[in-house]
Amino acid sequence: MKLNCTVRQASSNVDAKHYDTQRLRKEYLVENVMVEDEINMVYSMFDRIIAGGAVPKDEDLLLSAPEILRADYFTQRREIGIINVGGPGTVVVGEDRYHLDYKEALYVGRGDRHVTFCSDSPGSPARFYFCSACAHRPTGVKKVTKEDAVVMHLGSLEESNERTINRLLVKEVVPCCQLQMGMTELAPGSTWNTMPAHTHDRRMEVYFYFEVPEDGAVCHFMGEPQETRHIWMHNEQAVISPQWSIHSACATRNYTFIWGMCGENDDYNDMDWCATKDLR
């Protein structure tokens, strides 16, 4: 097995407005999230979030602690949120096994035990997307399905943003420390997410786009409301959104994305809205 961990430094909103396309992609885009028989992750200095993917095709994958953590176990000082976007699989946490089907989630709290990713079949391997944040207390382990989620239906087909927000790993569902994760599913005919746009100074966020056709693309918008930029993305890619940045997108057709955030608080509704007419 192979484990890759790349460290990304935090960047200034003052500097980011001068980045060209190549620099924007280097700082914020995570291209190779899902690679068979590998664990790939990015450690961002924005609130020290980790975002990554594990695809255990021909072998089980142990989530060992990368050097940047200086820890004996990955979860020694961290919590993890895991969502399966592939075939059926199992996450082993210590001595316990948790089976996850497509779009099912698992919350793993802080603790000294190993975490291992497994697939039911190499012909249809699981594809585990995960985010991790620093945790100040142990909070246990809990499997979460869409039936357990706090569900919000927003937008309309007329506005091209009819969508269902599944708040899977939030304080109303699991006893998380600072990590929050969920999954937004756009209805057929809708392409815009998170409009009107917003920022939240007390939290940063990572988006992971999937269910994007091979010949399709997502145009992700970021930057300060008066200094927006865009990054073209494809299926199973992630993007880092600093606390000073909006995070919104439009695509060639409907899609699904996972959002993961952490920071100062766990209040999902703590947002500063940006009127669409004021965006530049």
Side-chain angles (χ1 to χ4, degrees):
M1 95 167 243
K2 186 176 181 181
L3 187 146
N4 302 303
C5 180
T6 302
V7 178
R8 301 274 183 95
Q9 298 297 326
S11 54
S12 162
N13 56 324
V14 176
D15 292 338
K17 66 178 65 177
H18 302 294
Y19 292 170
D20 62 11
T21 298
Q22 183 178 2
R23 182 68 185 276
L24 282 170
R25 296 174 69 86
K26 180 180 178 181
E27 294 289 340
Y28 306 113
L29 180 63
V30 186
E31 294 188 85
N32 299 312
V33 179
M34 299 291 184
V35 180
E36 291 182 351
D37 291 322
E38 291 187 10
I39 297 178
N40 290 293
M41 68 184 84
V42 166
Y43 180 109
S44 172
M45 289 299 179
F46 284 111
D47 286 309
R48 298 186 181 273
I49 196 170
I50 291 176
V55 186
K57 182 178 183 293
D58 295 319
E59 59 179 314
D60 298 343
L61 301 178
L62 172 66
L63 183 61
S64 57
E67 182 65 21
I68 186 69
L69 297 188
R70 301 292 200 277
D72 297 323
Y73 302 91
F74 190 95
T75 57
Q76 194 163 39
R77 298 184 297 271
R78 286 186 161 267
E79 58 187 344
I80 316 173
I82 303 164
I83 300 177
N84 185 11
V85 299
T90 298
V91 181
V92 183
V93 184
E95 300 298 322
D96 300 316
R97 301 177 66 88
Y98 300 88
H99 190 266
L100 298 184
D101 284 323
Y102 189 59
K103 292 184 176 179
E104 291 187 334
L106 182 70
Y107 173 78
V108 181
R110 172 177 173 168
D112 290 351
R113 69 282 212 238
H114 290 299
V115 175
T116 304
F117 299 107
C118 315
S119 291
D120 286 7
S121 169
S124 179
R127 305 174 79 83
F128 297 106
Y129 176 72
F130 62 90
C131 288
S132 173
C134 299
H136 60 277
R137 59 187 172 90
T139 46
V141 183
K142 183 178 180 179
K143 177 180 174 178
V144 177
T145 69
K146 287 201 289 184
E147 287 69 32
D148 304 313
V150 178
V151 179
M152 303 165 60
H153 300 285
L154 297 178
S156 67
L157 188 59
E158 290 76 15
E159 297 172 303
S160 302
N161 67 355
E162 182 181 353
R163 61 201 188 274
T164 299
I165 301 174
N166 303 281
R167 294 164 60 185
L168 293 162
L169 307 182
V170 295
K171 64 181 179 180
E172 294 87 355
V173 180
V174 297
C176 47
C177 291
Q178 61 164 320
L179 180 67
Q180 298 182 72
M181 288 183 71
M183 179 172 55
T184 299
E185 301 169 299
L186 273 73
S190 289
T191 58
W192 279 100
N193 77 62
T194 322
M195 289 298 285
H198 64 262
T199 60
H200 26 68
D201 286 341
R202 287 150 294 280
R203 295 192 306 275
M204 62 80 60
E205 195 159 3
V206 178
Y207 275 11
F208 172 77
Y209 292 98
F210 69 108
E211 294 188 328
V212 179
E214 185 176 351
D215 59 350
V218 175
C219 188
H220 180 86
F221 295 92
M222 63 162 296
E224 293 181 293
Q226 304 301 310
E227 279 284 350
T228 61
R229 301 291 186 269
H230 69 272
I231 299 176
W232 283 100
M233 300 176 59
H234 299 281
N235 191 46
E236 294 187 340
Q237 293 184 342
V239 62
I240 298 167
S241 179
Q243 74 281 356
W244 42 261
S245 175
I246 66 166
H247 30 286
S248 180
C250 188
T252 52
R253 56 154 291 168
N254 65 306
Y255 52 93
T256 303
F257 69 97
I258 294 170
W259 44 269
M261 54 187 170
C262 65
E264 182 68 23
N265 64 23
D266 58 3
D267 180 4
Y268 177 86
N269 295 308
D270 181 9
M271 307 174 189
D272 297 312
W273 295 99
C274 311
T276 305
K277 65 181 178 61
D278 294 331
L279 295 173
R280 298 290 184 268

